[in-house]
Structure formats: structure tokens, C-alpha cells
Amino acid sequence: MVTQGCWWCGAASGSCEPAPCWSCEPAPFQPYPRPSSRVARFTVRTFGIRRNEKIACHVTIRGEKAEELLERGLKVKEYELRKSNFSNTGNFGFGIMEHIDLGLKYNPSTGIYGMDFFVVMRRAGGGRVAKRRAKRSKIGFQHKCTKAETQKWFVDKYEGILTK
């Protein structure tokens, strides 16, 4: 049921040098695709970031690797998510404060960063109807994942706990 997961890592610096981002040093995501970096759209003096400075990076992972990384992220959260973490379209997301909690090694040059996990849920064959070239149409209401179904999947598969 998991289609893809997207992981965002904040990497804002407080200095004049460009922020060390994982797109420059992909060591934490070594077995995964190379992450792409994101830059600041404008300068925010209170946060100490400048326009066009690298402040974050993200990577989209699919398949078994996505489920493995999701498992490690949920273990950090102790398999406990809020009901508000789930969207009406059946997707869910959560964040962790320190990437080293995932079992990744600490690198003094990059420091410690938080990570956001966002998981896209879809039924088998759910994307083909909307993405194909010929006879493209909308995905039917009965074939879309709902919030309740995704919450039930989370509780059943990971024996998770849903809090208020």
C-alpha cells in the first residue's frame, strides 16, 4: 500500500558560508538515490539565512527501501502518531528531531539535523489510470485511500498507537 516516501532534512546554517547539506555529502542516504537540495527563496535575518543559500534537501524513495526507512523512523517515534498526522487523502507524515536516532553516524562537519517523513499511500494500480497517455481519466472514489483506512493499516501493520 505504500507507494513512495519523501524525506526532508533541514540544514540551515547560521554563518556566512553555505550550509553543509546532505546533497553535498550523501553519506546518511548512501544506499538511496542522491538527494536534491533546496535553497532559501529570500533572506531571513532572524534565522541567519540568505537568499539562494542551501537550507534543506529531500529524497524520494520507493518500494522496500521506503518501507525499511519508514520502519526505522517509526521506531524512533515509538510507533506512536497523532490522528492529525494523517491527511484526508490517506497520506501521513511525521518528523524526528535528530537524524542520528535512525542509527546513522554523526558527522561533525554537518552536525545534527531533523527529518520529516511523508508517506504517500495508494492502492495497487491506482496511479495508472490517471498517469497513462491514452484514455486518461480520474481515479474513482472507491479506489482512493481514505484517512480511516490508512490509520487502520498503520495500526495493523506496525501495531501503532494513534493518539489524540
Side-chain angles (χ1 to χ4, degrees):
M1 208 166 158
V2 174
T3 305
Q4 67 185 26
C6 187
W7 285 265
W8 282 87
C9 308
S13 70
S15 62
C16 297
E17 305 98 41
C21 187
W22 285 345
S23 62
C24 303
E25 297 180 22
F29 290 116
Q30 202 65 38
Y32 307 112
R34 185 166 176 82
S36 63
S37 60
R38 295 291 172 244
V39 295
R41 294 189 305 165
F42 45 84
T43 301
V44 181
R45 294 184 71 169
T46 56
F47 294 139
I49 59 173
R50 294 182 178 177
R51 186 170 185 259
N52 293 329
E53 180 182 10
K54 290 182 181 178
I55 59 169
C57 61
H58 81 279
V59 62
T60 300
I61 303 171
R62 293 179 174 85
E64 304 226 355
K65 290 182 181 179
E67 291 189 19
E68 173 195 331
L69 195 58
L70 175 63
E71 176 83 31
R72 288 165 57 184
L74 288 171
K75 191 180 291 184
V76 171
K77 296 293 277 186
E78 298 174 351
Y79 300 97
E80 189 171 317
L81 294 178
R82 291 189 214 149
K83 289 183 181 179
S84 62
N85 287 31
F86 293 84
S87 70
N88 290 332
T89 56
N91 306 321
F92 68 95
F94 60 94
I96 60 172
M97 297 297 286
E98 298 178 354
H99 75 277
I100 58 174
D101 291 339
L102 293 173
L104 303 172
K105 291 184 179 178
Y106 173 72
N107 186 352
S109 65
T110 57
I112 297 176
Y113 299 110
M115 292 181 72
D116 292 330
F117 291 75
F118 189 76
V119 181
V120 177
M121 303 296 284
R122 190 182 299 163
R123 294 187 200 280
R128 168 126 172 84
V129 173
K131 303 289 183 187
R132 64 189 177 193
R133 184 171 177 162
K135 296 184 180 179
R136 187 178 301 173
S137 64
K138 294 182 178 179
I139 297 172
F141 177 76
Q142 297 291 326
H143 205 68
K144 291 182 180 177
C145 292
T146 63
K147 184 176 186 175
E149 289 174 336
T150 304
Q151 288 175 345
K152 184 180 181 312
W153 173 85
F154 169 70
V155 170
D156 292 344
K157 180 162 184 166
Y158 295 106
E159 297 175 1
I161 301 167
L162 293 175
T163 61
K164 193 173 185 179

